[in-house]
């Protein structure tokens, strides 16, 4: 299925694209130097494509992953910065489409007899601890699928911890760094998607969840464009802030959902002994970050 032309996000962008990005495009567009915030719009996957994937790989996709693919067959959002009249690509958020959700290759690393495989590189000394679940394995004990190639800095993977047949409740999201060490990210795809978007796709952001952290160069970009998870003011805005209104567990739904109008309650007569009521428009807004956006 072909990708649709990239969409420049901003005023007049399609509502389902704004919903898919959890509204962070407005924060990016208000950040100094940010330009060309774009998303490659992808058509939804058909249900038979998901069923074929499950039969081929003998694994059941979690419901949130299915709902994601039924809304968009993959995800790719990018943004750039303008420095000294030069435009530099910086942020990249990506999730492979259903056809590219492929299992990590367990064949020989070299086309030679008795060559090592990924399973031969498995380090059984790095087992589970009190604060860390048991790591995935490259052999038949785990089934691993690549969600995001991370621009070559590693791989974010959907991991089935019990092997085949893969059950949805046995899946987790892990990050595999370039040294082939595993780092746990989240229990669910929905939680990982929120991490992906709120970290703005900054380079090497996944390494913030490792013991050695991000590189000095990546840390400079983090200081210039802080992830939303670092900006606590944004998470403590008033109730009608778009950050609090968005529920990532509901974002992967059909965009053709019918809205049911709310029933109005009975109008109560005004009490003549009470003072004049305050119009809703005079309610004070929070003194939080300037990036607050109201619908």
């Amino acid at each position: 299925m072909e990708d649709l032309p990239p969409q420049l996000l901003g005023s007049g962008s399609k509502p389902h694209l704004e919903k898919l990005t959890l509204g962070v495009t407005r924060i990016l567009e208000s950040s100094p130097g940010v330009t060309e915030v774009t998303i490659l719009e992808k058509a939804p996957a058909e249900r038979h494509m998901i069923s074929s994937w499950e039969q081929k790989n003998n694994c059941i996709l979690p419901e949130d992953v299915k709902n994601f693919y039924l809304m968009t067959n993959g995800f790719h959002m990018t943004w750039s910065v303008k420095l000294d009249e030069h435009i530099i690509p910086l942020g990249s958020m990506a999730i492979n489409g259903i056809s590219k959700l492929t299992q990590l290759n367990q064949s020989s690393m070299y086309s030679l007899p008795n060559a090592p495989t990924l399973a031969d590189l498995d380090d059984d000394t790095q087992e589970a601890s009190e604060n860390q679940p048991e790591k995935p394995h490259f052999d038949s004990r785990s089934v691993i699928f690549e969600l995001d190639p991370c621009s070559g800095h590693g791989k974010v993977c959907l991991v089935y911890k019990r092997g085949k047949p893969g059950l949805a409740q046995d899946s987790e999201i892990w990050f595999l760094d370039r040294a082939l060490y595993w780092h746990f990210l989240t229990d669910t795809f929905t939680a990982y998607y929120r991490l992906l978007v709120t970290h703005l796709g900054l380079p090497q952001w996944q390494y913030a969840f490792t013991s050695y952290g991000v590189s000095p160069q990546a840390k400079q970009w983090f200081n210039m464009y802080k992830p939303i998870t670092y900006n606590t003011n944004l998470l403590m805005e008033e109730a009608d802030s778009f950050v609090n209104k968005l529920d990532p567990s509901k974002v992967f739904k059909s965009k053709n959902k019918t809205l049911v109008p709310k029933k109005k309650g009975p109008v109560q007569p005004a009490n003549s002994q009470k003072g004049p009521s305050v119009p809703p428009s005079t309610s004070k807004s929070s003194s939080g970050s300037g990036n607050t956006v109201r619908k």
Side-chain angles (χ1 to χ4, degrees), residues 13 22 35 46 50 60-61 71 75 92 95 127 131 150 160 164 169 177 198 204 222 225 230 264-265 268 277:
S13 64
L22 303 183
T35 184
E46 299 180 7
I50 297 176
I60 302 299
L61 285 174
M71 183 176 183
F75 177 66
S92 178
I95 294 176
E127 290 299 338
N131 301 322
C150 304
Y160 291 85
K164 291 186 178 183
Q169 62 268 27
D177 66 23
T198 55
Q204 305 175 29
F222 270 56
Y225 302 100
Y230 288 6
K264 295 184 179 179
Q268 298 180 355
S277 60

Side-chain angles (χ1 to χ4, degrees), residues 17-61:
L17 294 182
E18 189 74 9
K19 179 181 178 182
L20 186 64
T21 58
L22 303 183
V24 298
T25 54
R26 306 184 187 186
I27 294 178
L28 284 172
E29 290 169 346
S30 65
S31 301
V34 173
T35 184
E36 297 182 357
V37 182
T38 60
I39 181 172
L40 185 63
E41 186 177 5
K42 298 175 181 286
E46 299 180 7
R47 290 188 180 274
H48 73 83
M49 299 171 63
I50 297 176
S51 299
S52 298
W53 186 95
E54 292 180 328
Q55 293 176 5
K56 175 183 176 181
N57 294 283
N58 197 17
C59 292
I60 302 299
L61 285 174

Side-chain angles (χ1 to χ4, degrees), residues 237-238 285-289:
E237 292 291 349
E238 57 187 278
S285 60
S286 172
S287 58
S289 169

Side-chain angles (χ1 to χ4, degrees), residues 90-103:
L90 184 62
S92 178
M93 310 172 217
I95 294 176
N96 288 335
I98 188 72
S99 61
K100 294 184 178 179
L101 187 62
T102 55
Q103 188 173 352

Side-chain angles (χ1 to χ4, degrees), residues 195-206:
L195 284 181
L196 170 68
V197 175
T198 55
H199 279 81
L200 310 177
L202 286 165
Q204 305 175 29
W205 70 264
Q206 296 89 353

